[in-house]
Amino acid sequence: MQNHLSSLPPKSLLQQSAGIWEHIVELHPAAKENDECRNLVASSDFFARVLERYGDKLLSGMAQPCAEQDYANRLQQALQQCSTEQQLKRQLRCFRHTQMAILLWRELRGDVSLSTSLAHYSAIADACIQQALQWLQTDFKVRYGSAYTASGDEQSLVVLGMGKLGGRELNFSSDIDLIFFYPEQGETSGGRRSLEHNVYFTRLAQALIAALDEATADGQVFRVDMRLRPFGSSGPLVTSYNALEHYYQEQGRDWERYAMVKARVINQNEDYNQLFQSLIRPFVYRRYIDFSAIEALRKMKLLITQETRRQGVKNNIKLGAGGIREVEFIAQVHQLIRGGQEKALQTQSLYQAFSQIERLGLMASATVNQLMQDYEYLRELEHRLQQLNDEQTQQLPEDERLRQQLCYMMGDAEWQQLQQRVDDVMQRIHQEFRQVIGSQSEDDEEEHGLQVLWQDMLEDDAAVEILQQETEVDAAELWQQIKTFRQETRKRSSGPRGRAALTRLMPVLLRQILQQQHPVQLLERVLSVIRAIMSRTAYIELLTENPGAREQLCKLCAASPWVSEQLALHPVLLDELIDPQQLYQLADLEEYPALLREYLMRIPEQDLERQMDALRQAKQALQLKIAAADISGALELMKVSDHLSYLAQAVIAEVVVMAWQQLAQKHGTPPGRSASDTGFAVLAYGKLGGLELGYGSDLDLVFVCDADYSEQTDGAKPIEVQQFYLRLAQRILHLFTTRTVAGILYDVDLRLRPSGQAGLLVTQVDSFVRYLREDAWTWEMQALVRARCVYGSEHLCSQLEDIRRSMLARQRDKAQLKQDILEMRAKMRQHLSRSDTTQAFDIKQDAGGIADIEFITQYLVLAYSHEHPSLCRYSDNIRVLTAAQQRHIISELDAQNLINAYQILRCESHALALQGEQALVTHDLSSERDAVIDCWNRVFAEPD
């Protein structure tokens, strides 16, 4: 091996370092006698700093270099002088810096090979970890005592070295990747106070990290990276052995399997080592030949390539094409594929791995030898780069002075010579890498471009930069959502298959979301759906494998948060997204009863729970289709309300029949009644009565029966007829409002029944007529305007419609009617308007809003139906206003203004409902409002 220090560095380097050399000689005169120290000061700023600060210790150490196995003993002796953690930190840093500087000197002299120096660097790190931990445990013992197993054995914090530390191949300026665990739960004993083991070991781990990682006036020992631990940065700092085992069995990812190839117990305790190996071997090494490792490592390499490209990194001898990482990947792909069967491949050492790969004939000897020569050249170059200034870098420098220093330390006469050799080496490595791992096309890289965002150790600024390349909107907000969701997924078990599917889904789903108009809002909605199905692998796979379903999910969620809420609450609706053509194909209004029966026909009548779920799922699926057609613009507003109303009517009919059958099985039926002629009717009021139902609307219902209460049912357990119909109503309410796993059917409001909440749930026809004629308030007659029969026999529905018309067509005192309506309207506005606290217009309740139009319509029906019976024929506002204009009760202009305003305000209200917002608007609707107010003033101000 060549002694690079035997020749002088370039004259310019000697001149630039003359000042610091003079200062060092003043502090440590013995250095003047050592020409190699002079050359090192010129070529390494790190060596110059250490020689200046710790000159005597460094020079004495160079006289008697430490053997690999002696670092721990030498450090232990130094730490015996320490009585405080500050002294501990100072001694650790002094030890690390001087020993590293000695090794730098030995390497450049040619005294040690690369493999030997790697072992020494790793031994220094092991010694620092072991001795710092031992000192801290002794210090903790006074305060907290010791931790013991159930069998009474003292237990320690177990430290796992990962990456190059685990493989005993540590770089000169490498950080160290660690994972901590402890053997058993319990409490400490023997100290001033007792702590639970998880608290004790967490504090101990924090103290160990501070001892090694904290940047003091003396620098750092090693930068400590804990991101490889279970759940990454969001996980606990320390876990128990059982928790660690459960994590890798249930949650372990491909990249963690890859990382665990290098894992090694740093503690000098064989029991801990065996304990860990028994846990990790089944996770890392499969019992079969596992070729899936190739794809996993190829994908990981792709992500590294994308990250290097993103950062604009060139001449990176670790991460670039043909870099050190590719040599490591070649070894590990063979280890992961065959390590389960070939125990000799189960090693943390890259050197040992390639030795076994050659022995097993997996690669030709000549290929292995060339690869290892090239690897060692890059590792040596990596060390020289880091020895310049003790910085963790693998980047060839642009600075001329650094290039001169590097050429001197590598023995190259000029930079072009070094650069050419690097290019040749990396070209050979990359060629071999492609032979083993395979190559990736540009199309593949584009397809997986966003997979970087799904990696656990991605830095925030890097993630934001990636998103900024994809979209012009708030990338930081997008990343925060992705990051939070990613952390949630780590804590919710979905099994290996589910995790793999989610890993495939998220990048392609993110790309679709980023192509939409409002990606931040859309991502929030879509993630609410994914959260709901995260543990249901079949749905994740449906979206992964079906681009059409993903497209519809994004389209519907972008259009409406109400839709995204429905999909999140009822994931079974995702089945409807598979066939977009079917999704947007709406049924005819009269087909809803038949469609509901199709959902129910395969479920036995006795299986009530499944029937309730099926009916809910059917209603939700059909409602989703209506919303899809609405969002796509295929349906105008009035048609949307028609479909929602007819669907609700069909559901009501199914519910009544189900409730009837359940009661009839137990109690029989009232005399002369059957499922086809129940003697029971349902009157719909409000929005359903007026055929104006919206998404999420409740149902205002009144139950009426035509029955003789003096009789009993004809079943095995007969009950009075009145009791039968009361239980029927209760059963109907139960079927509607009970929350099953599929949610509820509809909220039902029965307060419009005779006597309101004080009244019976079911009213006989005669009692209904008598109440309307003798006891009903004006507001109840207003409500009757929008009533219609939505369930019952043809005879009973016709009878109820005749009653409605006759009650509405009674002659009334118009002045008193006006007064009653105006008082009710003022009371409603006072209690229900939401615009007082905002500058917005309440579409429903403010002056000139929907309620004013409804009250005008109701007044016209109640005031003029005795003269014009056609006014009470319909229950919806538009046809009533049209009839009033045709009978010249209001002018054609007023009728058109009211209808126009009503349609516009309904559209606004409907759009806001789809967006999950209150019916408040801030944009200008003054012309519509003014038209309604003008008409209101004419109707209620003019004398009759």
Side-chain angles (χ1 to χ4, degrees), residues 779-920:
W779 66 264
E780 290 177 293
M781 301 310 297
Q782 288 178 250
L784 191 64
V785 171
R786 287 163 61 78
R788 64 188 179 89
C789 192
V790 294
Y791 172 81
S793 66
E794 185 177 345
H795 169 73
L796 183 52
C797 283
S798 177
Q799 184 181 357
L800 289 170
E801 180 55 28
D802 289 343
I803 293 169
R804 171 184 170 274
R805 290 186 186 180
S806 66
M807 291 298 110
L808 294 176
R810 295 173 68 192
Q811 187 168 356
R812 293 173 175 84
D813 182 328
K814 291 178 183 175
Q816 184 61 48
L817 179 63
K818 281 183 182 180
Q819 183 180 338
D820 290 348
I821 288 178
L822 288 170
E823 288 176 358
M824 177 53 64
R825 183 70 192 97
K827 192 177 296 183
M828 276 183 65
R829 187 173 296 148
Q830 179 183 351
H831 287 92
L832 299 177
S833 176
R834 291 164 295 188
S835 63
D836 291 345
T837 57
T838 70
Q839 299 301 313
F841 165 48
D842 187 326
I843 294 174
K844 176 76 175 174
Q845 296 298 338
D846 279 354
I850 291 174
D852 280 1
I853 301 172
E854 291 174 344
F855 271 53
I856 290 171
T857 305
Q858 290 158 10
Y859 170 76
L860 296 176
V861 171
L862 294 174
Y864 295 102
S865 288
H866 70 285
E867 299 173 20
H868 306 286
S870 62
L871 282 174
C872 56
R873 180 178 177 184
Y874 299 110
S875 61
D876 63 287
N877 292 300
I878 289 178
R879 286 187 288 188
V880 170
L881 290 169
T882 302
Q885 180 260 314
Q886 290 171 347
R887 299 295 179 273
H888 305 293
I889 300 169
I890 58 175
S891 69
E892 183 176 352
L893 179 61
D894 277 345
Q896 287 307 311
N897 283 343
L898 288 173
I899 290 172
N900 178 63
Y902 187 68
Q903 290 176 327
I904 289 174
L905 295 176
R906 279 279 315 282
C907 284
E908 291 281 352
S909 176
H910 179 75
L912 289 167
L914 265 181
Q915 292 304 316
E917 298 175 13
Q918 293 184 333
L920 297 168

Side-chain angles (χ1 to χ4, degrees), residues 310-360:
R310 179 193 71 78
Q311 294 177 348
V313 171
K314 295 179 181 177
N315 293 323
N316 189 302
I317 63 170
K318 178 181 178 181
L319 302 180
I324 294 166
R325 180 59 58 82
E326 289 192 356
V327 182
E328 296 169 347
F329 272 38
I330 291 169
Q332 285 167 337
V333 75
H334 286 297
Q335 288 180 279
L336 292 173
I337 291 171
R338 300 181 186 274
Q341 293 190 324
E342 299 289 348
K343 294 287 192 292
L345 287 170
Q346 296 181 12
T347 175
Q348 297 99 349
S349 166
L350 186 90
Y351 285 96
Q352 292 177 21
F354 272 112
S355 174
Q356 295 304 320
I357 288 167
E358 180 182 358
R359 184 184 68 79
L360 293 168

